[in-house]
Amino acid sequence: MSHAPYGSWPSPVDAALVAAHDGHPEALGAVGEEVWWTAPRPAEGGRRALLRLRPDAPAPVSVLPAPWNVRNRVHEYGGQPWAGAARETGGPLVVFTDAGDQRLYALEPDLDTAPRPLTPVSAVGGGLRWCDPLVLPERGEAWCVLEEFTGDGPGDVRRLLAAVPLDGSAAEDRSAVRELTDDAHRFVTGPRLSPDGTRLAWLVWDHPRMPWDGTELLVAEVDAAGRPGPPRTMLGGPGESVAQVEWAEDGTLLALSDRAGFWQPYRLDPDIGEAVQLCDRREEFAGALWKVGFRWMVPLPHGTLAVLHGLGTARLAVLDPDRGELADAVGPWTEWWPSLAACGERVVGIAAGPERDYEVVALDTATGHCRVLAEHHTDRVDPGYLPRPEPRVFTGPEGREIHAQIHRPRHPELTGPPDSAPPFVIWAHGGPTGSAPLVLDLEIAYFTSRGIGVAEVNYGGSTGYGRAYRERLRGRWGVVDVEDCAAVARALVAEGGAAPGRLAIRGGSAGGYTAAASLSDPATADLYAAGTISYPLLDLAGWASDGTHDLESHYLESLIGPLAEVPERYRERSPAYRAERIVAPFVLLQGLDDVVCPPEQAEALLAAVAGRGVPHAYLSFAGEGHGFRRAATVERALEAELALYARAFGFDRNDLAPLDLAAGREAR
């Protein structure tokens, strides 16, 4: 191995490669024996394609050409955008939402006809949005979640379950949409119809709760005309989160609830509501319900269940509910996306591992054998350029555990100078109620293959470790997350694994807040030599006062406290109001179409640091929202971040586009 300064190593993992493979398959489902899912297309404006894999086909096909974009904006983050039903003649009938106009469309791919609109366009506010459909050809309807804006404000909205005619009669007529429920609750999940069609189940919650705080499982009787009656609450409440509900073949309910401190599976009798725990493991069988339609559990024939479970991971297993026993699927996958489906005796899902991209994988429950169906992993570069992640548990303030994943620099031909340690970037994930999965990530390899380490910190408040760990952040956002990230950084330095004075912090969305809060906190401002802040939240009070979308508009009441009661806390923890403490150079990245963390948030920090002599650059991207999808955006953002570290850590590169940290602005 030759020696070369950390950060200067040549690497085939360039920004174009990362951008070309940004994102992964999602929204998987079964249509009879066929498997369908959506996949990213960064080079095509960031759209999501809809793919179809027939049982006898060697490869999937895209059923919709560009510019069709199978995605919706329910809750702004979107929900399950499609569903289908197999038919005896004419092939499958699929309904989907398109990102362009947010309408629901019908698609009959075997009839070679163009998609037919099923719902109208509304000019009021955010319009009409649909997600998590249930296709019912025998009823001539698709039952969905409807998000309907009634005004121009982010809170001028109602949500309910609705039935959309499949004949297109509602394509220009909102009144032809049949409302299945009222809008008594602020948020609803998709409909789940019992096997005999006589009962409907769904989940609801209300402000100020988020779905991981408390939800309710409702059940209503459905009459012969398809009209649900008054609902009954079967499970859940303000302090209990029910993340998913399904019907078993025998007509009982299956639910994932955290009433015992972890999301675990339960069976309920819909007549009396008695809940029986099916597997008493102190593990998580679900996660944060950021998107309507996530599925961590799916019923299988013969009464077993396919489930995802683990602590900090999500492994696939088959659960025998009578014995409470799990049989884990065998394979190299450590993380399964919450998008399980059943195809007869097979369980199909989307899985990845530390050395594998997300793939479409099928488990044959009769044999226990797993095989990749599509989206096969291929080594984009020599695996010697990829890091080998190390799951770690660090000790933080008050002796609390901090979970993290350490990705050390790795190169097949180079190592750093003798008796030296590499620079490290601390990554704070978004959410903040979320986590960093233990999977192959070319964006991480972009840095590690150049000699820069990455530490992903699942700070207190993260999912995957039980409700108590998740609730460490209650009232302490901007404190616990900042302390935990700093504790990991300092521990790496103390171990000799990271160079003192050559640490940076980065994050997007809530992680962008943590990064900015860390740069402006007196206890940590001197710890970091640089920071990358992407589509962040920076002015807490402004964000909580109609400064964001409806889903998260009350989120800070739990993370910070009620604004009317602790206004000083909102100001003290806002990076925009303590910018005088920032001394490290930073890059600020922002999508101009972001409605979750609007550009005004970034502009507030820019105004606060103006004239203070802190080197910084602002890159804004037209056409991008909350999170970047276009290949050109991902490339520019990565190269700007690396250019920042080159300056802050003191290494030379001649393969980067110029980044003027003195100018403070670079519009895109």
Side-chain angles (χ1 to χ4, degrees):
M1 298 285 282
S2 300
H3 299 287
Y6 289 113
S8 68
W9 303 349
S11 171
V13 187
D14 59 17
L17 179 70
V18 177
H21 300 286
D22 188 52
H24 60 78
E26 292 184 17
L28 182 143
V31 184
E33 291 298 312
E34 298 182 3
V35 181
W36 292 55
W37 66 93
T38 69
R41 295 291 183 263
E44 300 175 19
R47 80 179 184 101
R48 293 199 69 88
L50 183 60
L51 302 185
R52 173 191 191 187
L53 180 63
R54 303 188 195 207
D56 55 351
V61 296
S62 177
V63 298
L64 293 167
W68 290 104
N69 186 355
V70 182
R71 188 166 59 87
N72 57 64
R73 291 180 56 190
V74 171
H75 298 176
E76 296 303 341
Y77 294 121
Q80 177 73 15
W82 74 274
R87 300 181 296 183
E88 292 185 0
T89 60
L93 171 64
V94 172
V95 301
F96 70 92
T97 55
D98 182 70
D101 57 16
Q102 294 297 301
R103 299 172 87 180
L104 192 68
Y105 287 83
L107 173 67
E108 298 173 281
D110 290 353
L111 300 184
D112 196 27
T113 57
R116 298 182 287 107
L118 299 180
T119 57
V121 174
S122 170
V124 178
L128 297 171
R129 302 173 181 177
W130 315 83
C131 81
D132 206 12
L134 175 64
V135 181
L136 303 170
E138 69 279 6
R139 296 178 183 266
E141 295 176 326
W143 291 13
C144 319
V145 171
L146 165 60
E147 182 176 73
E148 181 174 25
F149 282 80
T150 58
D152 294 331
D156 298 329
V157 64
R158 59 194 297 260
R159 298 180 184 90
L160 59 144
L161 301 181
V164 176
L166 292 172
D167 61 7
S169 58
E172 304 296 337
D173 182 8
R174 166 65 180 85
S175 65
V177 174
R178 189 166 65 91
E179 298 191 359
L180 298 171
T181 65
D182 59 25
D183 58 354
H185 294 282
R186 192 65 170 185
F187 303 97
V188 301
T189 62
R192 299 290 185 267
L193 198 58
S194 63
D196 62 6
T198 63
R199 284 171 168 161
L200 182 68
W202 69 103
L203 305 178
V204 299
W205 70 96
D206 293 286
H207 286 319
R209 299 193 301 272
M210 296 296 285
W212 43 86
D213 296 324
T215 57
E216 296 176 35
L217 165 55
L218 303 185
V219 173
E221 305 293 327
V222 179
D223 66 19
R227 294 187 298 261
R232 296 174 292 135
T233 299
M234 306 294 292
L235 195 67
E240 177 183 357
S241 170
V242 183
Q244 185 186 343
V245 59
E246 302 290 342
W247 290 96
E249 287 187 348
D250 63 3
T252 58
L253 282 164
L254 302 167
L256 297 174
S257 166
D258 72 349
R259 56 169 43 191
F262 292 83
W263 279 300
Q264 297 168 325
Y266 290 81
R267 186 187 299 278
L268 287 86
D269 183 326
D271 292 320
I272 61 176
E274 180 182 1
V276 177
Q277 190 178 54
L278 301 181
C279 188
D280 186 15
R281 286 198 183 195
R282 292 180 63 80
E283 297 181 349
E284 297 282 38
F285 287 75
L289 190 64
W290 279 107
K291 293 186 177 184
V292 176
F294 274 169
R295 284 179 171 84
W296 297 268
M297 165 186 69
V298 61
L300 299 173
H302 315 303
T304 57
L305 304 175
V307 295
L308 302 181
H309 73 103
L311 278 177
T313 60
R315 304 188 304 276
L316 175 64
V318 175
L319 170 64
D320 180 337
D322 295 327
R323 298 183 178 184
E325 296 178 351
L326 291 170
D328 283 332
V330 178
W333 306 284
T334 58
E335 192 75 25
W336 290 71
W337 189 251
S339 196
L340 294 181
C343 288
E345 298 284 346
R346 296 186 304 164
V347 181
V348 185
I350 298 166
E355 299 177 353
R356 303 183 73 85
D357 296 318
Y358 281 96
E359 305 170 287
V360 177
V361 181
L363 166 66
D364 186 329
T365 59
T367 66
H369 178 66
C370 280
R371 71 183 183 96
V372 179
L373 299 181
E375 306 282 355
H376 294 72
H377 168 80
T378 58
D379 290 329
R380 316 294 181 189
V381 298
D382 180 341
Y385 289 97
L386 304 178
R388 292 173 174 167
E390 308 165 24
R392 294 279 304 275
V393 179
F394 294 88
T395 300
E398 304 166 0
R400 61 178 181 255
E401 289 186 347
I402 306 168
H403 295 270
Q405 289 145 198
I406 308 304
H407 308 260
R408 302 185 191 276
R410 186 165 181 253
H411 195 284
E413 300 173 354
L414 296 172
T415 187
D419 301 321
S420 67
F424 250 84
V425 183
I426 306 299
W427 285 29
H429 63 71
T433 310
S435 63
L438 186 63
V439 299
L440 173 62
D441 188 337
L442 287 178
E443 189 173 5
I444 292 176
Y446 177 79
F447 295 101
T448 58
S449 62
R450 287 167 170 76
I452 303 171
V454 170
E456 298 180 288
V457 182
N458 285 323
Y459 47 80
S462 300
T463 56
Y465 309 98
R467 186 170 186 122
Y469 193 92
R470 196 167 74 239
E471 291 192 340
R472 287 183 186 176
L473 218 55
R474 291 188 69 89
R476 302 187 70 191
W477 194 35
V479 178
V480 167
D481 49 323
V482 169
E483 290 177 346
D484 286 2
C485 286
V488 171
R490 292 184 174 117
L492 289 172
V493 171
E495 295 172 356
R502 303 181 78 196
L503 300 169
I505 188 165
R506 67 102 80 167
S509 188
Y513 166 78
T514 297
S518 298
L519 295 180
S520 60
D521 189 302
T524 57
D526 293 334
L527 179 64
Y528 302 107
T532 300
I533 307 166
S534 302
Y535 36 92
L537 164 58
L538 300 170
D539 174 4
L540 298 178
W543 195 78
S545 304
D546 291 332
T548 188
H549 62 146
D550 187 55
L551 174 68
E552 296 179 85
S553 60
H554 292 253
Y555 197 3
L556 299 189
E557 292 188 30
S558 62
L559 293 174
I560 304 295
L563 177 58
E565 298 176 14
V566 290
E568 71 290 344
R569 190 183 299 171
Y570 278 70
R571 186 176 182 90
E572 170 55 29
R573 295 193 195 165
S574 293
Y577 288 103
R578 59 188 198 194
E580 73 280 357
R581 301 173 183 169
I582 298 177
V583 295
F586 65 89
V587 169
L588 185 56
L589 307 170
Q590 179 68 48
L592 293 179
D593 293 347
D594 192 342
V595 297
V596 177
C597 291
E600 290 79 7
Q601 288 286 320
E603 297 284 351
L605 182 63
L606 292 174
V609 299
R612 294 187 178 275
V614 179
H616 65 281
Y618 176 48
L619 280 67
S620 58
F621 301 95
E624 292 283 12
H626 197 64
F628 302 146
R629 293 185 171 87
R630 299 178 178 181
T633 304
V634 174
E635 286 186 48
R636 182 64 187 123
L638 268 179
E639 291 175 345
E641 184 174 355
L642 182 60
L644 170 71
Y645 301 151
R647 168 173 173 155
F649 298 153
F651 58 80
D652 295 323
R653 300 203 67 93
N654 57 10
D655 56 353
L656 292 174
L659 180 67
D660 187 355
L661 288 172
R665 179 178 297 272
E666 180 183 330
R668 300 287 293 174

